[in-house]
Amino acid sequence: MHCIRKIINITQWNLQVFNKVNRAHKRSGILLQNIICRLNHDSEEYLSEEDEKKQNEYVKIASRYLGIAVGGHRTFILQPYIKWGKDKKRNTSPELQMAEAVALINTLPNWCVVGTKYAPLLTLQRKHLLGTGGIENLKKDLRQCPNPTAIFVSTNLLKFVQIRELEKIFGVPVYDRYSIVIHIFREHAKTAEARLQVALAEIPYIRKKIFETCVSRSGAINVTEETKRLLDSKEKKLRNELKKLQQHRRMIRNQRKKHGFPTVAVVGYTNAGKTSLIKALTDDNSLQPRNKLFATLDTTAHQGILPNRLKILYMDTIGFIQDVPETLIEPFIVTLEDAIIADVIVHIYDVSHPDMKAQYEHVQETIKPMLDARPIIDVANKCDLVQSECIPKDAIAVSAKDLTGIDLLRLKIQEVLLATTGLLTIRVRVKAGSSAASWLYKMTTVTNAESDPNDVQYLIMKVIATAVDIQKFKKFLKE
């Protein structure tokens, strides 16, 4: 594991700069751009000799229980699945699960798949996972592969005893989905925020594996106090930094609310096309979508303009994935909050994906408990790759790549947003060139302005504003 030295450091200087820019530019485009830009806190934290020693010890422990990804592996994938009973997955298939497992491995640099095998089971709880016959068959398959150096058992979480026994039998490292996803997170975590959340996500896994290793026959847990203190201290430090991050995010959200910028969160399964859709909606060519799982780990904001000229923020988010424990995603809830409290949620899914149904249901089940009654717009991406009858009738069909359906989606977002945010469309008669006209241009969204046919010295302006804005305007006129 790479030494994690960069952590979130919200300084007073950052806050002063942020507040000065806000006061100077109020609701202008500059303010909106300022809110969009995340404050990066990538300053190096000085580590004392004692802290350096603790960090090195943690790296050793993490490497033992998470494995090492640097350098890559020639990977053999074992896809276990329950044949029947209550634990059988019914909205997907072993073949589709295998395809996702292959995609996970191919996401890691220098990793490749050299062999695959399905394992129909009645339970995932056996010490060796497989029966005697299954073990022997797997040995034969491995011998026929070109020099495999690791086994990926594509299930969310193996017990450490299962990993240890399988490694003894086959003589190569064994990974489960949790550990593979952590390694992908590490690879894609480029900002201090993302690295902090990834570091916190891996500690429950390491702690669980250590405790499983140290349980004696009597049931007592023999973990050294030094190891326990090391994990507890690191987790406490990371959680404190996460609280700072949460406060920082809350401050930015409050600025958005104060100035009335509506937000639209784009959520979906990993690699469904979230960033591509935001690029299409905003015409922002600086966005560079990548065809990789978990390419986006940060929640970021991007300015867009609706057909009625209303400026909004689109929130890009981390993708979801099936068959991983909640503890893996839990640290990312802090930045995901920016999306979850958005005015409108856009759920994008890859309508051409063979496992579309399971992916769609997984995201819906995950986000719905968080949303209260906020509206969700379903967007079926990659509609150009399927027949029209394959697209659900209640979804908006788009192709983020060739811009099909994007204008229709903007209109739908506009319709839902106006209905849910309390924004009002009003007509105001003001003198042309007056301070009142300037105030409306600056503080509201002017969708149309034309001369009064009865008096050309006056304008009739059509504006979109909140009830609070209207009260402020009335107060401004009295001053």
Side-chain angles (χ1 to χ4, degrees), residues 387-413:
Q387 299 295 322
S388 58
E389 58 267 20
C390 298
I391 300 170
K393 293 181 180 179
D394 56 352
I396 295 180
V398 306
S399 171
K401 184 178 179 181
D402 62 21
L403 305 184
T404 302
I406 296 300
D407 288 340
L408 181 61
L409 177 57
R410 285 197 188 102
L411 287 170
K412 182 64 176 179
I413 291 171

Side-chain angles (χ1 to χ4, degrees), residues 27 32 259-264 281 303-314 343 410 413-419 421-425 443-448 463-466 469:
R27 297 182 62 164
L32 184 58
H259 296 283
F261 296 126
T263 54
V264 175
L281 287 166
Q303 177 185 339
I305 300 177
L306 294 178
N308 61 10
R309 301 182 187 176
L310 180 66
K311 292 179 179 178
I312 66 172
L313 293 179
Y314 290 102
D343 299 302
R410 285 197 188 102
I413 291 171
Q414 176 177 292
E415 174 192 337
V416 176
L417 200 55
L418 292 177
T421 57
L423 290 170
L424 304 172
T425 300
M443 305 300 289
T444 69
T445 297
V446 178
T447 60
N448 188 41
V463 304
I464 298 174
T466 65
D469 288 332

Side-chain angles (χ1 to χ4, degrees), residues 314-430:
Y314 290 102
M315 312 298 294
D316 200 358
T317 63
I318 184 174
F320 297 93
I321 193 169
Q322 304 174 81
D323 203 20
V324 293
E326 291 181 6
T327 51
L328 183 60
I329 301 297
E330 186 267 335
F332 291 88
I333 295 298
V334 167
T335 48
L336 198 58
E337 280 178 354
D338 283 335
I340 297 305
I341 65 171
D343 299 302
V344 175
I345 310 296
V346 169
H347 175 194
I348 181 174
Y349 56 93
D350 180 353
V351 73
S352 71
H353 199 285
D355 208 16
M356 181 268 289
K357 182 181 178 183
Q359 293 181 357
Y360 176 85
E361 290 177 354
H362 174 73
V363 175
Q364 288 284 318
E365 290 169 3
T366 305
I367 65 173
K368 277 198 171 179
M370 309 178 194
L371 296 182
D372 303 321
R374 258 162 298 169
I376 301 176
I377 301 173
D378 283 346
V379 174
N381 191 26
K382 305 182 186 179
C383 67
D384 54 314
L385 302 180
V386 298
Q387 299 295 322
S388 58
E389 58 267 20
C390 298
I391 300 170
K393 293 181 180 179
D394 56 352
I396 295 180
V398 306
S399 171
K401 184 178 179 181
D402 62 21
L403 305 184
T404 302
I406 296 300
D407 288 340
L408 181 61
L409 177 57
R410 285 197 188 102
L411 287 170
K412 182 64 176 179
I413 291 171
Q414 176 177 292
E415 174 192 337
V416 176
L417 200 55
L418 292 177
T420 58
T421 57
L423 290 170
L424 304 172
T425 300
I426 61 171
R427 289 162 59 87
V428 185
R429 183 177 181 271
V430 295

Side-chain angles (χ1 to χ4, degrees), residues 1 4 51 53-66 186 196 198-214 221-240:
M1 171 185 172
I4 301 171
D51 288 339
K53 183 180 177 181
K54 289 180 179 177
Q55 183 61 31
N56 290 337
E57 184 60 32
Y58 175 78
V59 169
K60 291 178 184 176
I61 293 173
S63 297
R64 180 184 177 191
Y65 292 99
L66 279 167
R186 286 179 173 183
L196 166 64
V198 172
L200 193 52
E202 66 190 40
I203 287 182
Y205 182 91
I206 294 169
R207 181 182 281 116
K208 180 178 175 63
K209 293 295 180 262
I210 288 176
F211 279 24
E212 287 177 1
T213 310
C214 299
I221 300 176
N222 301 317
V223 181
T224 65
E225 281 300 316
E226 184 179 358
T227 300
K228 188 175 182 300
R229 279 199 303 269
L230 176 66
L231 290 176
D232 291 347
S233 172
K234 186 171 183 66
E235 184 175 38
K236 182 179 179 181
K237 183 178 180 180
L238 290 171
R239 289 201 179 278
N240 286 337

